[in-house]
Amino acid sequence: MGHVFCYALASHPCWNPVCPHVNLSAHRKETKLGLCTRVRMNKSPFSWRLPSNLPSDPRHSTVTILPKRGGGQWHAGNELEVVIKMYNFHGKPKTSGGDFLLARLHSPSLLAGVAGKVVDHLNGSYSALFPLLWEGKVQVQVILVHSSEAVTVLQQLNRMQPHRIYFQSLFRSASLTETTTCNVYINASQQQVCNYTDLHTGEQWFCYKPKKLSCDARVTHAKGGFRKNITHQEEMLFQSGVNMKVSIPPSTHPNISVHPREDQTRGIGDIVRTEPSGYYYHGAWRPLDGTKVHQFNSSTAVSQCLRGKGLHLFGDSTIRQWFEYFIASFPGICPSGWGFLIIEIFCYKPVFLQDLKNFDLHSSEQAGPLMALDYPNNILVTYRCHGPPIRFANIPVTQLRYIANELDHIDGGPNTVVVIGVWSHFSSFPVDVYIRRLQNIRKAVVRLLSRAPRTLVVIRTANPKALTVYETLTNSDWYSIQGDKLLRAVFKGLDVHLVDAWDMVLAHHLPHNLHPQPPIIKNMIDVLLSYICPPPTDQTRVNH
């Protein structure tokens, strides 16, 4: 019991454990290194020091739209290229890469938008590439999420302070109670620990042993708190409106006019060279992989699609948000609240399943488990949160379940839909923890599809969000995009579908939010329902 339980604290985001007494199997090392090679984890090329390396400044930096190759007018189907040059707060050009930039092309009057692909040239300049997918006036937006100096701090935090978010468990026996600290990593060199590693998946979890109670007396799991341990200089790199999540002003006119396609015989999806998964047009999401998305604009249409189905949602609060969408019971949002969201800038009336009623399991509204039933249409919708690490309050340990184990208890079949969304609560840990979780889920999905090949499995990706200092140090978009690359790599080649929440939030005109606003959720649900109920001629199962 007097050992230090630590697991591959990475100095490189992917590998280099500092716990030599903990050995990964050769297979796990090879698998993890292979994943990291494929996703090419973004790593800042230098360590930040003040004042020799002054941070990137969005006010001095420039965004320039390049002329069309070969000259002439822009047409739908062309590719637009933008050059971004980064400068520091003294107005001097940056000479290295590593800044985290997001780019979007949009037409506000058309409720149209698409995410751009940003290319880092590692010399202080970047390119953003956009497919031109619709006609009319379009404009470019480039956002500095984090400077390269800020990215370096975020990397160091996960390497050196993986337990900056800590958890607690309550232990109880009769009237005696004790609370101790828990985590994936825990130093037990001077104190005994309780080992709650899951025997089936190998997922690790430890708590300090109570002084008077046994390890078996554990009752609840909860987030304990957050230790902010950065210098003042480091914190200055995360200033909203100054150097974090700030648009870079265009140095030329940001609008261009897009004319009709020159080759009318080819569809947009046939001529797009860049890599967005889809785009918005008139507020509706249009995938570029050939999937036909229907607009499920009535409760009758949704009920017909889900009739006789069991829809099982597993993951964090961004998946619970889908459950809340399905069971919403009031007539509209103009501008009252919905679920845990307050909508103040958009009046929107969602579609409700009139006969889908929440079945009270006397469980936490935050952590679940949750269940809703539609008896007339034989529809079952469930939600269960993933196992630790999870930053929810007071979850009974009897309800702490790992998704891989839950999937092994699902029979599956043509009337079973499984949706998985696991990302937000892993950001503050070295990537090993997330890779292990994804690999366990992948193995369970393979087992499920092997015994019931007609089961529909849908994966929800991460999405950009609003950032405060706390949110950044625990759940930055930079952490999210690194994990998102891993998620896509892990599930690549499986017969599963993706709902690309990253592109769907980035391309939309509404502000970024951990829990996207209802119009975006409605589009995500339309994608999900279109996977469940495609037209007979659609080939929607593709390898992403």
Side-chain angles (χ1 to χ4, degrees):
M1 288 288 235
H3 295 82
V4 178
F5 289 93
C6 54
Y7 181 87
L9 305 182
S11 58
H12 183 280
C14 282
W15 182 244
N16 190 13
V18 299
C19 303
H21 60 283
V22 177
N23 293 314
L24 295 180
S25 68
H27 172 73
R28 284 194 56 197
K29 288 181 182 178
E30 181 179 356
T31 301
K32 186 170 72 110
L33 288 170
L35 278 173
C36 294
T37 299
R38 274 186 282 162
V39 303
R40 295 185 65 185
M41 303 289 285
N42 292 339
K43 187 176 182 183
S44 185
F46 61 94
S47 297
W48 174 60
R49 297 287 187 272
L50 276 182
S52 59
N53 291 319
L54 289 173
S56 305
D57 179 13
R59 293 173 301 177
H60 284 98
S61 301
T62 63
V63 173
T64 304
I65 298 176
L66 295 183
K68 180 185 175 184
R69 291 173 184 169
Q73 295 178 324
W74 293 100
H75 293 269
N78 294 156
E79 183 178 74
L80 180 70
E81 183 174 358
V82 171
V83 172
I84 305 123
K85 292 189 179 294
M86 301 303 297
Y87 292 77
N88 65 25
F89 277 80
H90 284 179
K92 295 184 178 181
K94 298 291 291 292
T95 58
S96 59
D99 298 299
F100 180 28
L101 304 171
L102 296 177
R104 176 173 73 112
L105 187 75
H106 61 118
S107 296
S109 62
L110 296 174
L111 295 179
V114 65
K117 176 184 178 181
V118 177
V119 179
D120 186 351
H121 300 296
L122 303 178
N123 60 4
S125 67
Y126 303 77
S127 297
L129 305 173
F130 305 92
L132 298 180
L133 300 168
W134 60 88
E135 303 167 20
K137 297 283 187 181
V138 299
Q139 60 190 63
V140 171
Q141 182 186 29
V142 177
I143 300 171
L144 173 66
V145 183
H146 295 306
S147 66
S148 57
E149 295 80 13
V151 168
T152 298
V153 173
L154 294 176
Q155 290 174 329
Q156 292 172 343
L157 282 174
N158 272 17
R159 182 172 71 248
M160 305 304 296
Q161 301 178 37
H163 36 58
R164 61 189 181 279
I165 287 183
Y166 60 95
F167 303 85
Q168 292 180 329
S169 274
L170 174 70
F171 295 75
R172 178 187 295 128
S173 179
S175 61
L176 179 61
T177 62
E178 293 183 69
T179 299
T180 72
T181 298
C182 309
N183 221 320
V184 179
Y185 309 113
I186 200 163
N187 189 333
S189 58
Q190 296 180 343
Q191 187 173 342
Q192 289 185 322
V193 300
C194 298
N195 185 348
Y196 297 109
T197 298
D198 183 72
L199 297 180
H200 184 236
T201 63
E203 297 285 357
Q204 296 178 331
W205 195 252
F206 304 98
C207 297
Y208 285 120
K209 187 180 183 303
K211 295 179 179 179
K212 297 182 180 179
L213 297 175
S214 73
C215 294
D216 294 334
R218 183 170 172 239
V219 178
T220 63
H221 164 92
K223 177 187 172 183
F226 166 64
R227 302 181 182 95
K228 187 175 77 170
N229 185 21
I230 60 173
T231 67
H232 175 71
Q233 282 186 333
E234 290 170 334
E235 187 166 349
M236 294 296 288
L237 296 171
F238 305 104
Q239 299 180 73
S240 296
V242 177
N243 56 13
M244 181 173 70
K245 221 68 183 285
V246 180
S247 291
I248 300 174
S251 54
T252 57
H253 198 278
N255 298 333
I256 66 167
S257 295
V258 181
H259 298 274
R261 295 198 306 272
E262 295 175 289
D263 184 354
Q264 295 292 335
T265 64
R266 302 174 67 191
I268 284 293
D270 297 326
I271 53 182
V272 170
R273 290 192 299 151
T274 46
E275 303 172 351
S277 62
Y279 65 103
Y280 287 103
Y281 190 71
H282 293 313
W285 182 251
R286 298 185 176 187
L288 288 169
D289 64 356
T291 300
K292 175 69 174 177
V293 172
H294 300 280
Q295 303 300 305
F296 290 81
N297 293 328
S298 71
S299 59
T300 300
V302 178
S303 295
Q304 287 177 347
C305 178
L306 292 180
R307 182 173 292 134
K309 298 284 196 299
L311 175 60
H312 304 286
L313 309 174
F314 297 99
D316 54 37
S317 60
T318 62
I319 284 293
R320 186 191 63 224
Q321 192 180 14
W322 290 15
F323 181 92
E324 294 164 357
Y325 178 92
F326 281 118
I327 67 166
S329 59
F330 41 86
I333 297 175
C334 288
S336 58
W338 168 57
F340 295 98
L341 301 176
I342 301 296
I343 309 303
E344 297 177 346
I345 63 172
F346 201 95
C347 181
Y348 188 76
K349 185 175 181 178
V351 175
F352 302 110
L353 288 172
Q354 296 177 348
D355 294 316
L356 186 67
K357 306 298 182 184
N358 190 43
F359 188 89
D360 189 0
L361 296 175
H362 304 289
S363 58
S364 162
E365 291 185 2
Q366 184 185 42
L370 305 175
M371 177 186 293
L373 297 168
D374 178 343
Y375 284 105
N377 293 294
N378 192 28
I379 298 171
L380 169 67
V381 182
T382 67
Y383 164 76
R384 181 177 287 279
C385 69
H386 62 75
I390 188 160
R391 300 189 295 267
F392 288 170
N394 296 323
I395 307 173
V397 295
T398 55
Q399 298 299 340
L400 281 178
R401 312 280 181 85
Y402 292 101
I403 292 176
N405 292 340
E406 293 298 296
L407 294 180
D408 284 340
H409 291 92
I410 292 178
D411 291 335
N415 294 319
T416 300
V417 181
V418 171
V419 181
I420 300 167
V422 179
W423 59 279
S424 180
H425 296 252
F426 290 81
S427 295
S428 61
F429 295 95
V431 73
D432 299 74
V433 178
Y434 191 48
I435 290 176
R436 178 170 53 193
R437 185 63 52 92
L438 293 178
Q439 288 177 333
N440 277 321
I441 294 173
R442 186 189 194 279
K443 292 173 186 176
V445 168
V446 169
R447 292 191 292 268
L448 172 60
L449 294 178
S450 178
R451 66 178 177 270
R454 297 179 66 188
T455 305
L456 180 67
V457 179
V458 179
I459 310 292
R460 184 205 190 278
T461 73
N463 61 262
K465 64 191 75 66
L467 296 179
T468 62
V469 173
Y470 166 78
E471 191 72 26
T472 298
L473 299 182
T474 60
N475 201 17
S476 165
D477 286 350
W478 185 83
Y479 291 136
S480 298
I481 194 64
Q482 308 310 314
D484 195 59
K485 294 174 184 178
L486 287 169
L487 180 142
R488 294 169 194 262
V490 166
F491 287 98
K492 184 177 179 63
L494 287 190
D495 190 18
V496 301
H497 297 279
L498 288 185
V499 174
D500 196 330
W502 189 273
D503 275 11
M504 295 182 77
V505 170
L506 178 55
H508 205 278
H509 68 274
L510 287 172
H512 299 173
N513 197 313
L514 173 63
H515 302 108
Q517 295 189 24
I520 301 175
I521 296 299
K522 201 277 184 181
N523 274 286
M524 292 181 183
I525 297 299
D526 282 342
V527 173
L528 171 66
L529 295 175
S530 297
Y531 287 146
I532 298 171
C533 304
T537 57
D538 260 10
Q539 300 295 322
T540 61
R541 287 208 174 192
V542 296
N543 290 334
H544 298 270

